[in-house]
Amino acid sequence: MELEILVKNFKSKDHLAFEELYSMYHKSIYGVIFNMIKDTEIANDLTQDVFIKAWNNSEKYSNKKGRFFTWLLNIAKNTTIDKIRSKSYKNNKKNVSSEDFLNSFMCNIDSNSTTNTIGLKNMVSNLEPKIKNILNLIYFEGFTQKEVSEELNIPMGTVKTRKRNGLNLLKTLFV
């Protein structure tokens, strides 16, 4: 089924469209979330949350503002940042057993292959270093634009411009 029709049916609460879009995008969304949170169980839960949020707020999506996948990525990024900043998550991370630490470390080794399922990390790595750095911080490390601005000591407008330029370059690679 064509993507436009799938999205239209998704917005009309068609369960088959939901299943098809989930099948198309869940691995990519999971990869982005996992790279930010580094926990398989939480990444799986948040992936489910992202699709539920998209389903419940499908009327807010507009193809005039961007592609459906980009909309899902933004939901994933915001959902993950909310989780990372939550008090319960911070408290859980304070008391990590040595076994959990080792498991987390071993899972990290697989994170690149998960993200590279669609070649996204390779595409980003081929961008100009200034743009690549900003996209890595925002989409793979979970930084906000303000945090990137402070971290790199550059104006917020520069962060936004480089992010937009980078996403536009990536978009041309996907089309």
Side-chain angles (χ1 to χ4, degrees):
M1 203 181 288
E2 194 175 308
L3 184 60
E4 277 183 40
I5 296 169
L6 272 175
V7 172
K8 181 180 174 227
N9 292 346
F10 177 83
K11 289 177 75 171
S12 299
K13 305 296 186 200
D14 180 338
H15 292 275
L16 293 176
F18 176 90
E19 290 174 16
E20 183 70 25
L21 288 168
Y22 180 85
S23 175
M24 288 170 61
Y25 295 127
H26 81 276
K27 288 180 183 176
S28 300
I29 297 299
Y30 170 85
V32 169
I33 292 170
F34 183 82
N35 276 326
M36 291 172 67
I37 210 144
K38 309 288 192 244
D39 184 302
T40 306
E41 188 177 327
I42 295 173
N44 279 323
D45 290 345
L46 291 179
T47 300
Q48 300 297 320
D49 289 349
V50 166
F51 281 92
I52 290 169
K53 285 180 182 181
W55 178 259
N56 290 334
N57 296 296
S58 61
E59 73 283 350
K60 293 181 182 175
Y61 170 72
S62 169
N63 62 355
K64 293 175 184 168
K65 293 182 181 177
R67 298 177 55 176
F68 185 77
F69 181 69
T70 307
W71 183 67
L72 280 177
L73 279 177
N74 283 328
I75 294 171
K77 179 179 162 264
N78 293 335
T79 300
T80 306
I81 289 170
D82 289 346
K83 180 66 173 179
I84 290 170
R85 290 180 178 165
S86 73
K87 193 172 190 173
S88 64
Y89 179 79
K90 287 179 182 177
N91 287 338
N92 269 349
K93 289 300 170 190
K94 286 181 184 175
N95 302 319
V96 177
S97 71
S98 58
E99 186 177 324
D100 288 343
F101 179 76
L102 182 59
N103 287 338
S104 172
F105 179 75
M106 296 307 286
C107 286
N108 252 351
I109 294 169
D110 294 340
S111 69
N112 282 337
S113 63
T114 303
T115 305
N116 277 332
T117 303
I118 60 168
L120 184 60
K121 220 166 195 176
N122 284 338
M123 288 182 207
V124 171
S125 70
N126 291 326
L127 296 174
E128 181 184 339
K130 292 188 266 187
I131 293 173
K132 175 178 74 173
N133 195 16
I134 287 175
L135 293 181
N136 278 328
L137 289 172
I138 292 173
Y139 290 104
F140 298 118
E141 299 295 326
F143 281 57
T144 63
Q145 291 179 18
K146 183 178 183 211
E147 291 168 339
V148 170
S149 173
E150 292 168 358
E151 177 77 17
L152 300 178
N153 198 27
I154 56 177
M156 178 73 89
T158 303
V159 171
K160 290 179 178 182
T161 300
R162 289 180 184 168
K163 175 186 164 194
R164 183 181 63 245
N165 291 344
L167 292 176
N168 284 336
L169 286 169
L170 289 174
K171 188 192 309 186
T172 62
L173 297 174
F174 274 109
V175 176

